[in-house]
Amino acid sequence: MSQLSTNHLLGLDGVPREDIELILNSTDTFLEVLERPVKKVPTLQGKTVVNLFFENSTRTRISFELAERRLSADVVNFSASTSSVSKGETLLDTARNIEAMKVDMVVMRHAAAGACEFLRTRCTSRFINAGDGSHEHPTQALLDMYTIRKSLGTLEGVNVCIIGDIAHSRVALSNIFGLVTMGANVAVCGPPSLMPRHIEKLGARVFTNVDEALGWCDAINVLRIQLERQAGASFPSLREYRNTFGITVERLDGLAKPVLVLHPGPINRGVEIDSEVADGAAAVILPQVTNGVAVRMAVLYLLGTKTE
Ligand code: NCD
């Protein structure tokens, strides 16, 4: 199969294994392009991509923009804080006006879950969700999965534990969907107050003790506490959180086998992860960022050149 089954990437929920495999395999090719002295291919020449960011972002926005430019697409950046949104324009009006300028693809981040799906059904461009509220962030999960696959050789049968603020994390949800589809064994670990009810129904095992979780897994994906999405305090203090769930050198040193350490960023050093771990030999946090550009190139290429 050389084409995706879908015209948009809104999430990994329901995305078939063949599609994920196609994206991950294509990523290998684009990662190789990134190693070249001239990191550019003409694949999306003549296509226009708009980055529609209604929520703050550093890594994801820059990563998408680099991916688009390295595929030779024309790129337009929109950020809500400097746009007519602050003059009261609706989401749909903003999108329709941008589309009227003849864009081919829209990469979108929004604080509301479902915002990307809302516009997708009302516009004609191809959409990529770059994070919608606490819902999904598919390209982050794809780059996490790609990084695990590259480091450990496979996703099939690999034990992956996502640790932290599961309830507010679109990264957690997209990872669970994708990893389960790819045959990994998935677990989540965090304070019960930050654990969505019925999460086991998605195929994830739940650990409340981080040392048990670490003893079980081959790879951990450490999440930040989403302070901006928390309605009230879900644990007594950040210090207590670190003591109970923080990934420290002491915790990792006590393990029988090494664990691969991922973090989607931004890191709150000394809270969910200590600097010695984040900068240590087991961490693949910066390779994740590099792989992210290649994964996004693969997604943009596959959606941007899809024929029907
Ligand atoms: C994540 C996000 O925005 O959902 N970051 C990212 O995309 N690199 C995770 C986070 O904000 O903690």
Side-chain angles (χ1 to χ4, degrees):
M1 199 185 86
S2 59
Q3 283 228 113
L4 292 175
S5 64
T6 164
N7 285 341
H8 310 273
L9 184 67
L10 303 180
L12 292 187
D13 187 10
V15 173
R17 187 171 178 144
E18 295 73 33
D19 280 357
I20 296 179
E21 255 157 24
L22 180 60
I23 295 169
L24 299 186
N25 292 342
S26 309
T27 300
D28 285 331
T29 314
F30 289 112
L31 202 56
E32 188 260 311
V33 171
L34 297 182
E35 302 294 330
R36 295 182 195 163
V38 179
K39 300 171 184 48
K40 204 161 178 153
V41 284
T43 323
L44 291 188
Q45 213 157 43
K47 301 264 185 206
T48 306
V49 186
V50 55
N51 298 314
L52 215 51
F53 277 66
F54 293 91
E55 198 191 71
N56 292 346
S57 166
T58 323
R59 223 170 324 265
T60 306
R61 207 192 58 71
I62 293 176
S63 181
F64 266 110
E65 185 170 346
L66 278 174
E68 291 149 9
R69 291 191 189 280
R70 285 169 177 176
L71 292 170
S72 306
D74 293 319
V75 180
V76 184
N77 286 312
F78 163 98
S79 72
S81 51
T82 54
S83 74
S84 294
V85 171
S86 54
K87 299 180 189 165
E89 188 172 63
T90 67
L91 176 60
L92 189 54
D93 280 333
T94 304
R96 283 203 173 133
N97 275 279
I98 291 172
E99 237 187 10
M101 298 177 210
K102 303 285 174 211
V103 302
D104 300 290
M105 296 176 88
V106 177
V107 174
M108 177 172 170
R109 171 169 285 200
H110 199 283
C116 196
E117 168 71 19
F118 173 84
L119 285 191
R120 200 270 309 161
T121 54
R122 289 161 179 83
C123 298
T124 55
S125 307
R126 299 216 158 148
F127 277 80
I128 300 174
N129 182 6
D132 61 330
S134 307
H135 182 222
E136 283 229 41
H137 190 355
T139 56
Q140 179 66 48
L142 286 164
L143 78 87
D144 294 343
M145 291 194 283
Y146 182 81
T147 306
I148 296 172
R149 192 177 88 156
K150 202 170 161 64
S151 303
L152 303 181
T154 181
L155 288 167
E156 186 80 55
V158 170
N159 293 356
V160 183
C161 187
I162 306 163
I163 302 176
D165 183 352
I166 310 298
H168 300 95
S169 176
R170 51 198 176 204
V171 177
L173 200 53
S174 290
N175 262 284
I176 294 171
F177 288 132
L179 285 164
V180 168
T181 302
M182 295 306 287
N185 305 312
V186 188
V188 288
C189 176
S193 53
L194 292 175
M195 194 59 70
R197 265 189 279 170
H198 312 301
I199 187 102
E200 311 81 16
K201 295 211 171 109
L202 300 180
R205 162 176 187 178
V206 179
F207 285 100
T208 45
N209 181 306
V210 77
D211 294 298
E212 270 174 39
L214 289 170
W216 171 84
C217 65
D218 304 304
I220 51 173
N221 201 345
V222 189
L223 306 175
R224 148 185 100 83
I225 300 297
Q226 302 259 328
L227 295 169
E228 74 278 24
R229 287 187 224 286
Q230 290 226 37
S234 303
F235 47 86
S237 69
L238 290 178
R239 177 141 54 133
E240 165 134 348
Y241 182 84
R242 179 191 177 272
N243 289 341
T244 319
F245 293 101
I247 306 304
T248 60
V249 175
E250 297 72 42
R251 284 206 154 107
L252 293 185
D253 278 352
L255 297 175
K257 61 175 166 55
V259 162
L260 189 72
V261 178
L262 294 95
H263 193 308
I267 297 176
N268 286 151
R269 288 174 183 264
V271 181
E272 74 273 7
I273 190 167
D274 278 4
S275 278
E276 293 89 319
V277 178
D279 303 329
V284 283
I285 300 172
L286 289 175
Q288 280 176 272
V289 178
T290 308
N291 296 340
V293 178
V295 162
R296 291 179 175 118
M297 286 172 85
V299 171
L300 287 156
Y301 156 72
L302 289 165
L303 291 178
T305 57
K306 188 163 184 268
T307 40
E308 89 293 349

